[in-house]
Amino acid sequence: MKKGFTTQVAVLFLCTSAFSNAKVDQTDLQHITSDLVAPTEIPRIHKPITIDGHINEAIWTKARRFLVNNVTFPHENIPSPVQTEAFMMEDGENLYVAFKAYDPEPHKIRAFLSDRDKNWNDDLVGLKIDSFNDDTLAYQFFINPLGTQTDSIENALTGRESSSWNGIWDSAGKITEFGYTVEIAIPLRILNFNDRLDIQQWGYELVRFYPRDERLRLSNAKMDQGQDCWVCQMPTLQGFRGAKQGNNLTVVPTLVSGQTQTREINTTNNQTTIEDWEDESNTDVGLDFKWGITPDVTLNATLNPDFSQVEADSGQLNVNNTFALFTPEKRSFFLANEDYFSTPLSLIYTRNIQDPDYGAKVTGKMGDHSFGGFVANDKTSLFLLPGNLGSNVYEVDEKTTNGALRYSYSVNDDLKMGATTTIRKNSEYHNYLTSLDTRYQPNQNNRVNIQVLSSDTYLAQSYIDDIKNSGDYSSEQELRADKINGTDTAYRIHYNHTNRDWFFDMTHMNIGESFRADLAFFNNTDHKKTVIGGGHIWRGNDEDWWTRVQLSGDVDWTHNQRGEKIEQEAEMYLNVNGPMQSFLRHGIAARTKVGNRIDETTLAIDGNTEEFDEVSFSSWMEFKPTSHIWLGNYLRLGTGIDYSNSRLSDVFVWEPKITWHANKHLETKLALKLSNMKYKGDDIYTANLIDLRLSYQFNIRSFLRLSVVGYDIERTLENYLPEVRDDFNSNYKSVSAQLLFSYKVNPQTLFFVGYSDGGYQDDDLSKVTKNTRSVFLKMSYAWIM
């Protein structure tokens, strides 16, 4: 840790000085000592290599050899029970890596054919690369013994990993009599690095995952579990003299064709009419391209993109919720280089951009400076109407221009600063957001993040009147419609302290009444929340049946801007890692929480809501009894608010999950959710969800997948209050299905063909009736120049 910079921010010093002690000095000394270790030289070769999984070419004898024999998790730096050798060399254009993974019982190797980025439960070997050697981002490349690939980018600042990054690289694996071997060729052009340097120095780590009774993480390096940044602890690799990135130009034309049929189902005077199917055909051509404008700056662009969902979203039950549900982004353009836009408080939720005609994104890193910007139009304007007791989604039928800019600067190893702005705009509406953030980390044990935000919003009066008078929104959103226009601020302060055995967190979030972040998933407004928590970690030894135990908890307080209490909560959790790769998390929570507003013509909380005392027990358990089966089970029991009737009721939630590999090709994933609420022993509702995914992987490149998602919600309306009974169906069912065939040469050269349909049943229908069905085809081809 470099100590040449003297901070001028007194508040940050006061927040962290209490934790600056002798242990911190020792940690800093360890870090400095590791920095003094000479970089590992990687030899250069001048002969091409065939990537086939067999490490029998004579040229591999010229490679640098490594031992990957140190267990870094769940144990801390103990000898590995199995031996692993790794070999590395480069030719100026590619980094070559090979592994010999020895196994005393090769028949127990866990390896299945799967789609890209879906092999994390298998035996794996791989490589992490910090190509700027600045402890910020790390590329991750992992391969199972059959050659299936997983790649991602680890963000050391946010602690998150993004599997949305997909590089085009080669790998192959073979199971042998002694274990398995893997060969990898990583083109340097897919990495961002400073090619003005004659010789590169990169952070690196060689890793093997060995899943048996425990899932051991093996490494060629030692990792201090007391530091939350593992990228910062990686040793240094040196070589690649004169390596250049080139222009890295990739052009991907796309053809999309499909036909959709929909029909209206109307009920009038207790008579249900099912209209005829209406056809809509679509055949279109799009273009994506990526260009390394300079070695430091990359342009991603898309014209006439197909942003339809190829893979069906996971099912979510929307029952007894007052806030909108979050759905993860899966579209490649928005996911590309998304880490350049990361902030402590996420400000970009691109699922709000539904149907753009174009998009462009520029990202880059120059020394201590990094930046990102994107722009995309949209045929509509979709955003959240936030509140402090609930939120709703609102859509303006007007085209919008959407954009974001992010700049960050590493002052030194201790202090990083950033600025972000987002824009959503059309003639009837705009939302401008500006954010400043800083991360101060005086040592590896203490970190402070501060983020300050300001928004400016305008929505035409006709749309405000629509929100207030349509009856489609909650009373809170109707009242807050008059507060949409104007400016307001928000801020977040987070402090974190960690060492090997203890951790402590403190967060304060303050959101003004009219603050809005419409390009983000911002559910709350008029909201102040403080959270204080921490915990302790115990690590087992060879005599213990468990390997890791963590006891944690927190307390929090939530108020509105007037200081009226919304919620007060205390919770405690016990985590245990044990045999059969088991993980158990048991928790208990007690909270005092307000229900619905009694007088819906005012936003007041004090004297206008009833407080309820909720108590709940939750349990999550997962384990792998065999190499072919993974089991998970979530259970929650206790009391909770019935928001439909504004009263405290008994809650039961059960979510069993199973993943079963019948063989190396066939995988079954089944997730169920059963939710029941009772009031004084009588049923209020029972809601069930089923999410079934059947996949047959023909080989590494192709698969056939069937997805079925179904909902079944039954309400006992005679147990509802009379004034709300007419707002609900006594029975609602929904079923959607998708059959998809995929063939991928690489992440951008691919072929999809599929069929999907969906239908529902309510009190006016006697059975589930389809109201949509479609067939679709998508082809794309990547030209790399």
Side-chain angles (χ1 to χ4, degrees):
M1 184 71 64
K2 299 174 185 176
K3 296 299 177 185
F5 177 79
T6 303
T7 180
Q8 302 298 315
V9 187
V11 129
L12 300 181
F13 175 78
L14 290 174
C15 289
T16 58
S17 61
F19 293 93
S20 299
N21 50 33
K23 186 165 186 175
V24 168
D25 295 336
Q26 183 180 2
T27 302
D28 287 348
L29 179 60
Q30 292 172 351
H31 188 86
I32 293 169
T33 302
S34 66
D35 287 342
L36 295 177
V37 176
T40 300
E41 293 278 353
I42 295 299
R44 171 163 292 188
I45 62 172
H46 303 279
K47 181 180 178 181
I49 295 177
T50 300
I51 303 300
D52 57 10
H54 295 290
I55 314 175
N56 52 14
E57 294 175 282
I59 199 167
W60 277 113
T61 62
K62 300 180 181 298
R64 184 67 180 258
R65 178 176 176 268
F66 301 81
L67 295 179
V68 187
N69 291 342
N70 179 53
V71 179
T72 57
F73 194 87
H75 308 282
E76 185 177 28
N77 301 324
I78 66 171
S80 168
V82 292
Q83 183 180 354
T84 310
E85 295 177 290
F87 307 86
M88 297 178 68
M89 54 192 179
E90 53 96 1
D91 64 5
E93 295 184 356
N94 300 277
L95 170 62
Y96 298 103
V97 187
F99 289 87
K100 286 185 177 180
Y102 295 89
D103 197 310
E105 300 176 290
H107 63 281
K108 292 186 177 180
I109 291 174
R110 302 186 179 189
F112 302 96
L113 290 168
S114 66
D115 195 14
R116 189 184 185 93
D117 296 335
K118 297 184 184 298
N119 61 9
W120 277 112
N121 289 321
D122 291 358
D123 278 77
L124 293 173
V125 290
L127 171 71
K128 297 174 64 172
I129 299 174
D130 176 5
S131 56
F132 285 99
N133 205 22
D134 62 356
D135 303 341
T136 302
L137 300 175
Y139 295 95
Q140 300 191 116
F141 304 88
F142 286 96
I143 309 92
N144 81 352
L146 300 180
T148 64
Q149 296 181 349
T150 285
D151 53 18
S152 62
I153 293 180
E154 179 180 353
N155 189 322
L157 301 182
T158 63
R160 295 190 291 266
E161 295 182 5
S162 172
S163 61
S164 60
W165 180 78
N166 288 312
I168 298 177
W169 48 287
D170 292 328
S171 65
K174 297 289 182 182
I175 296 178
T176 69
E177 69 281 359
F178 63 81
Y180 64 95
T181 59
V182 163
E183 271 187 311
I184 310 166
I186 301 172
L188 302 186
R189 57 177 167 73
I190 72 171
L191 308 175
N192 291 323
F193 60 91
N194 183 2
D195 70 355
R196 291 184 296 272
L197 299 175
D198 182 43
I199 295 182
Q200 298 292 321
Q201 289 193 352
W202 296 348
Y204 81 103
E205 186 185 9
L206 297 160
V207 179
R208 176 182 178 182
F209 287 101
Y210 181 66
R212 297 297 181 270
D213 194 49
E214 299 176 294
R215 186 172 186 264
L216 301 180
R217 183 187 188 274
L218 317 179
S219 174
N220 68 304
K222 290 189 175 182
M223 294 289 162
D224 179 1
Q225 294 186 10
Q227 299 184 26
D228 60 354
C229 177
W230 284 26
V231 173
C232 309
Q233 303 180 58
M234 297 195 306
T236 303
L237 193 69
Q238 181 171 287
F240 315 100
R241 179 181 294 275
K244 299 295 180 183
Q245 294 189 67
N247 60 14
N248 197 16
L249 178 62
T250 304
V251 179
V252 186
T254 301
L255 171 66
V256 179
S257 182
Q259 183 170 357
T260 300
Q261 292 184 320
T262 59
R263 60 181 177 182
E264 296 290 333
I265 302 175
N266 302 310
T267 300
T268 305
N269 298 325
N270 295 323
Q271 295 293 321
T272 300
T273 302
I274 302 176
E275 305 292 342
D276 293 334
W277 290 102
E278 295 184 2
D279 294 339
E280 180 181 354
S281 298
N282 176 53
T283 298
D284 222 336
V285 176
L287 182 69
D288 296 335
F289 66 92
K290 177 182 177 182
W291 176 32
I293 302 173
T294 72
D296 307 301
V297 181
T298 301
L299 169 66
N300 291 82
T302 183
L303 299 173
N304 199 22
D306 168 53
F307 277 166
S308 59
Q309 287 296 107
V310 172
E311 182 176 355
D313 288 322
S314 299
Q316 298 185 77
L317 266 181
N318 190 10
V319 59
N320 201 46
N321 294 323
T322 60
F323 287 94
L325 298 179
F326 178 87
T327 303
E329 179 62 89
K330 296 181 179 180
R331 300 169 296 179
S332 59
F333 169 76
F334 290 120
L335 293 173
N337 288 347
E338 63 177 348
D339 290 292
Y340 283 86
F341 300 89
S342 295
T343 62
L345 188 64
S346 180
L347 300 180
I348 299 174
Y349 177 63
T350 48
R351 286 295 288 255
N352 287 335
I353 304 173
Q354 300 183 93
D355 192 8
D357 295 312
Y358 66 84
K361 179 184 296 185
V362 177
T363 54
K365 183 178 178 62
M366 299 179 180
D368 295 325
H369 306 266
S370 65
F371 58 89
F374 81 82
V375 62
N377 75 333
D378 196 359
K379 295 176 183 178
T380 61
S381 307
L382 182 73
F383 53 82
L384 280 174
L385 296 172
N388 51 29
L389 296 186
S391 65
N392 294 89
V393 175
Y394 183 66
E395 186 170 358
V396 176
D397 191 19
E398 294 272 350
K399 287 187 176 182
T400 52
T401 300
N402 306 270
L405 293 170
R406 168 71 176 167
Y407 165 76
S408 60
Y409 172 52
S410 295
V411 181
N412 58 24
D413 287 355
D414 299 341
L415 183 64
K416 301 181 187 296
M417 307 178 70
T420 305
T421 184
T422 66
I423 300 171
R424 305 198 77 193
K425 187 181 189 312
N426 61 32
S427 60
E428 303 292 328
Y429 154 77
H430 74 243
N431 175 249
Y432 307 138
L433 173 70
T434 302
S435 167
L436 300 174
D437 61 89
T438 182
R439 187 194 78 160
Y440 178 57
Q441 188 165 355
N443 49 64
Q444 293 292 344
N445 300 94
N446 298 281
R447 182 175 68 245
V448 178
N449 289 103
I450 298 177
Q451 191 164 1
V452 180
L453 310 98
S454 175
S455 70
D456 180 338
T457 308
Y458 167 76
L459 185 64
Q461 189 61 45
S462 59
Y463 291 111
I464 294 176
D465 293 339
D466 178 57
I467 296 171
K468 294 166 62 177
N469 302 322
S470 68
D472 295 331
Y473 302 96
S474 69
S475 59
E476 178 175 5
Q477 272 64 59
E478 292 174 0
L479 291 172
R480 293 195 185 279
D482 288 325
K483 299 179 182 291
I484 287 179
N485 291 339
T487 61
D488 213 332
T489 59
Y491 66 88
R492 177 182 182 270
I493 301 173
H494 174 73
Y495 170 74
N496 170 257
H497 170 78
T498 60
N499 59 43
R500 187 179 182 275
D501 300 321
W502 293 93
F503 57 93
F504 172 79
D505 288 275
M506 181 170 59
T507 304
H508 179 71
M509 183 76 194
N510 189 309
I511 309 173
E513 285 188 86
S514 297
F515 178 81
R516 303 179 58 81
D518 287 355
L519 196 57
F521 188 82
F522 233 77
N523 252 331
N524 294 107
T525 192
D526 187 15
H527 177 92
K528 295 189 293 185
K529 184 172 185 176
T530 301
V531 183
I532 300 174
H536 187 271
I537 299 172
W538 293 268
R539 294 169 176 82
N541 52 47
D542 292 339
E543 289 76 31
D544 297 318
W545 65 267
W546 52 273
T547 58
R548 184 182 175 95
V549 174
Q550 175 179 301
L551 181 65
S552 63
D554 65 61
V555 294
D556 61 69
W557 303 265
T558 305
H559 298 79
N560 65 6
Q561 290 295 330
R562 299 179 185 178
E564 299 171 315
K565 184 172 72 173
I566 298 173
E567 179 181 300
Q568 182 173 330
E569 179 184 64
E571 54 188 348
M572 181 171 290
Y573 294 95
L574 177 67
N575 299 350
V576 181
N577 294 82
M580 292 190 292
Q581 298 183 49
S582 60
F583 174 74
L584 288 77
R585 179 178 173 86
H586 301 311
I588 186 169
R591 66 181 64 87
T592 299
K593 190 176 183 181
V594 301
N596 302 329
R597 291 179 173 89
I598 299 170
D599 180 359
E600 296 185 349
T601 65
T602 174
L603 292 173
I605 291 179
D606 284 356
N608 193 37
T609 57
E610 183 180 355
E611 288 191 351
F612 297 94
D613 294 325
E614 298 180 339
V615 178
S616 64
F617 167 79
S618 63
S619 173
W620 167 255
M621 297 178 286
E622 65 176 72
F623 64 102
K624 287 181 70 76
T626 74
S627 61
H628 292 258
I629 297 177
W630 174 89
L631 297 172
N633 185 71
Y634 175 76
L635 180 68
R636 180 163 63 90
L637 300 167
T639 55
I641 300 174
D642 170 11
Y643 289 102
S644 300
N645 300 284
S646 196
R647 60 195 182 192
L648 193 67
S649 300
D650 296 319
V651 177
F652 170 80
V653 178
W654 181 40
E655 298 182 37
K657 298 181 179 182
I658 182 172
T659 299
W660 174 47
H661 289 90
N663 51 48
K664 292 186 184 298
H665 300 272
L666 181 61
E667 178 190 70
T668 301
K669 287 187 174 183
L670 177 63
L672 302 175
K673 182 172 183 178
L674 300 92
S675 178
N676 175 260
M677 179 170 278
K678 295 179 183 288
Y679 179 69
K680 294 183 177 180
D682 296 323
D683 283 336
I684 303 299
Y685 67 78
T686 298
N688 301 322
L689 176 148
I690 180 172
D691 190 329
L692 173 66
R693 313 284 166 126
L694 295 173
S695 298
Y696 189 87
Q697 195 81 28
F698 298 97
N699 49 50
I700 292 175
R701 293 183 173 180
S702 63
F703 67 80
L704 181 68
R705 177 181 299 147
L706 173 66
S707 304
V708 179
V709 178
Y711 306 88
D712 184 358
I713 303 173
E714 296 183 2
R715 300 179 187 270
T716 309
L717 294 181
E718 57 265 31
N719 295 330
Y720 281 60
L721 297 176
E723 58 267 28
V724 300
R725 289 175 186 169
D726 293 339
D727 296 337
F728 302 97
N729 282 283
S730 61
N731 181 270
Y732 180 83
K733 295 180 180 179
S734 174
V735 178
S736 61
Q738 181 192 75
L739 183 65
L740 176 71
F741 173 77
S742 168
Y743 181 84
K744 297 180 182 179
V745 177
N746 58 52
Q748 294 172 304
T749 299
L750 49 84
F751 170 79
F752 290 117
V753 62
Y755 168 82
S756 63
D757 62 31
Y760 72 94
Q761 175 187 354
D762 58 15
D763 288 350
D764 299 316
L765 295 170
S766 59
K767 62 179 181 179
V768 174
T769 304
K770 291 181 182 179
N771 64 339
T772 179
R773 59 193 183 191
S774 64
V775 292
F776 57 90
L777 173 131
K778 178 178 180 178
M779 293 184 292
S780 65
Y781 185 83
W783 271 288
I784 303 173
M785 307 176 189

XYZ file of all heavy atoms in Angstrom, residues 9 23 53 58 61 64 76 89 114 117 128 155 173 250 263 278 354 384 401 444 495 563 574 598 604 609-610 638 641:
220
model
N -9.313 15.050 3.484
C -10.706 14.906 3.890
C -10.757 14.485 5.352
O -10.576 13.315 5.687
C -11.426 13.881 3.003
C -12.911 13.855 3.320
C -11.207 14.229 1.537
N -2.190 -3.984 14.025
C -2.484 -5.032 13.052
C -2.479 -4.484 11.639
O -2.054 -5.145 10.691
C -3.827 -5.676 13.372
C -4.124 -6.865 12.470
C -5.245 -7.692 13.022
C -5.420 -8.959 12.189
N -6.400 -9.857 12.730
N -5.963 -30.153 -25.991
C -6.045 -30.767 -24.666
C -4.925 -31.730 -24.357
O -4.793 -32.171 -23.205
N 6.519 -30.921 -27.927
C 7.824 -30.675 -27.300
C 7.992 -29.233 -26.863
O 8.728 -28.943 -25.914
C 8.938 -31.062 -28.278
N 7.913 -27.948 -23.241
C 9.059 -28.039 -22.341
C 9.746 -26.695 -22.146
O 10.539 -26.531 -21.222
C 10.076 -29.051 -22.879
O 10.554 -28.612 -24.159
C 9.450 -30.438 -23.010
N 7.142 -21.909 -18.716
C 7.403 -21.718 -17.283
C 6.448 -22.615 -16.492
O 5.242 -22.635 -16.746
C 7.198 -20.245 -16.901
C 7.530 -19.908 -15.450
C 9.021 -20.057 -15.196
N 9.365 -19.737 -13.832
C 9.914 -18.583 -13.436
N 10.171 -17.645 -14.340
N 10.212 -18.355 -12.193
N -7.329 -21.787 4.834
C -6.454 -20.660 4.521
C -5.010 -21.135 4.439
O -4.369 -21.413 5.447
C -6.588 -19.559 5.573
C -5.787 -18.307 5.223
C -5.984 -17.192 6.233
O -6.263 -17.509 7.409
O -5.866 -16.020 5.857
N 3.425 -19.729 -21.396
C 4.359 -19.137 -22.362
C 3.545 -18.239 -23.291
O 2.295 -18.259 -23.276
C 5.109 -20.216 -23.141
C 4.237 -21.228 -23.836
S 5.211 -22.634 -24.431
C 3.936 -23.661 -25.158
N -21.966 -28.340 -20.936
C -22.905 -27.281 -20.576
C -22.696 -26.092 -21.491
O -21.694 -26.000 -22.209
C -22.721 -26.856 -19.114
O -21.450 -26.253 -18.923
N -20.401 -20.426 -19.463
C -20.586 -19.756 -18.174
C -21.511 -20.515 -17.222
O -22.025 -19.929 -16.272
C -21.125 -18.329 -18.358
C -20.161 -17.428 -19.101
O -18.944 -17.692 -19.064
O -20.620 -16.453 -19.732
N -6.529 -15.996 -13.725
C -7.002 -14.630 -13.512
C -5.890 -13.675 -13.933
O -4.720 -13.903 -13.629
C -7.360 -14.412 -12.043
C -8.505 -15.280 -11.544
C -8.727 -15.138 -10.043
C -9.142 -13.740 -9.655
N -9.530 -13.655 -8.225
N -14.547 -7.319 -10.382
C -14.366 -5.912 -10.037
C -13.961 -5.838 -8.570
O -14.763 -6.090 -7.676
C -15.659 -5.131 -10.283
C -15.475 -3.632 -10.162
O -14.747 -3.157 -9.306
N -16.140 -2.883 -11.023
N -10.016 -29.754 -23.299
C -9.713 -30.552 -22.124
C -9.822 -32.035 -22.413
O -10.590 -32.448 -23.290
N -14.238 -5.968 -34.656
C -15.145 -7.100 -34.820
C -16.463 -6.583 -35.375
O -17.067 -5.667 -34.815
C -15.400 -7.815 -33.481
O -14.153 -8.212 -32.912
C -16.268 -9.043 -33.683
N -53.883 -12.750 -29.197
C -55.335 -12.573 -29.269
C -55.836 -11.990 -27.962
O -55.279 -12.241 -26.877
C -56.036 -13.884 -29.577
C -55.811 -15.001 -28.558
C -56.530 -16.264 -28.995
N -56.295 -17.383 -28.082
C -56.787 -18.612 -28.271
N -57.532 -18.872 -29.337
N -56.539 -19.584 -27.400
N -54.223 -12.682 -34.124
C -53.691 -11.654 -35.009
C -52.213 -11.913 -35.233
O -51.462 -12.130 -34.276
C -53.888 -10.258 -34.404
C -55.350 -9.857 -34.270
C -55.508 -8.434 -33.761
O -54.458 -7.767 -33.567
O -56.656 -7.986 -33.567
N -36.187 -0.435 -23.495
C -36.844 -1.647 -23.976
C -36.584 -1.953 -25.448
O -36.281 -3.080 -25.810
C -38.360 -1.524 -23.768
C -38.770 -1.346 -22.314
C -40.276 -1.303 -22.197
O -40.932 -2.322 -21.977
N -40.846 -0.122 -22.364
N -39.590 3.744 -13.021
C -40.267 3.475 -11.763
C -40.838 4.753 -11.177
O -40.247 5.832 -11.283
C -39.296 2.864 -10.753
C -38.985 1.378 -10.869
C -37.901 1.003 -9.875
C -40.221 0.537 -10.624
N -34.323 9.555 -25.608
C -32.874 9.410 -25.750
C -32.310 9.121 -24.371
O -32.632 9.819 -23.399
C -32.243 10.674 -26.328
O -32.811 10.936 -27.613
C -30.738 10.516 -26.462
N -5.740 -2.339 4.001
C -6.570 -3.427 3.496
C -7.711 -3.784 4.433
O -8.597 -4.557 4.053
C -5.694 -4.671 3.251
C -4.702 -4.512 2.124
C -5.374 -4.427 0.761
O -6.530 -4.776 0.608
N -4.637 -3.946 -0.225
N -19.156 2.483 5.533
C -17.861 2.167 6.137
C -17.779 0.670 6.373
O -18.737 0.031 6.825
C -17.677 2.903 7.467
C -16.460 2.410 8.221
C -15.183 2.752 7.795
C -16.586 1.555 9.318
C -14.062 2.276 8.448
C -15.467 1.081 9.989
C -14.201 1.438 9.542
O -13.091 0.961 10.180
N -38.830 12.454 9.472
C -38.409 11.780 10.687
C -39.416 10.781 11.214
O -39.258 10.258 12.324
N -26.568 -17.338 11.094
C -25.493 -18.289 11.331
C -25.254 -19.055 10.039
O -26.155 -19.721 9.526
C -25.865 -19.254 12.452
C -24.833 -20.351 12.760
C -23.565 -19.734 13.349
C -25.422 -21.397 13.708
N -53.716 4.813 6.341
C -55.150 4.749 6.636
C -55.895 5.792 5.816
O -56.885 5.493 5.145
C -55.387 4.963 8.143
C -54.676 3.849 8.941
C -56.876 4.987 8.455
C -54.636 4.096 10.432
N -48.538 11.273 5.050
C -48.109 11.189 6.444
C -48.063 9.731 6.902
O -48.843 8.884 6.447
C -49.057 11.989 7.331
N -50.717 5.335 9.977
C -50.412 3.932 9.690
C -50.447 3.165 11.002
O -50.303 3.744 12.089
C -49.026 3.752 9.055
O -48.039 4.319 9.925
C -48.936 4.422 7.692
N -50.601 1.874 10.887
C -50.529 0.998 12.054
C -49.191 0.291 12.045
O -48.725 -0.161 10.991
C -51.665 -0.025 12.027
C -51.692 -0.934 13.248
C -52.833 -1.945 13.198
O -53.650 -1.863 12.253
O -52.867 -2.822 14.082
N -43.094 -17.479 10.067
C -43.225 -16.353 10.984
C -44.465 -15.548 10.694
O -45.462 -16.057 10.160
N -46.872 -8.757 7.280
C -48.022 -7.910 6.986
C -48.741 -8.428 5.750
O -48.129 -8.683 4.718
C -47.591 -6.451 6.761
C -46.886 -5.897 8.005
C -48.787 -5.578 6.400
C -46.316 -4.512 7.805
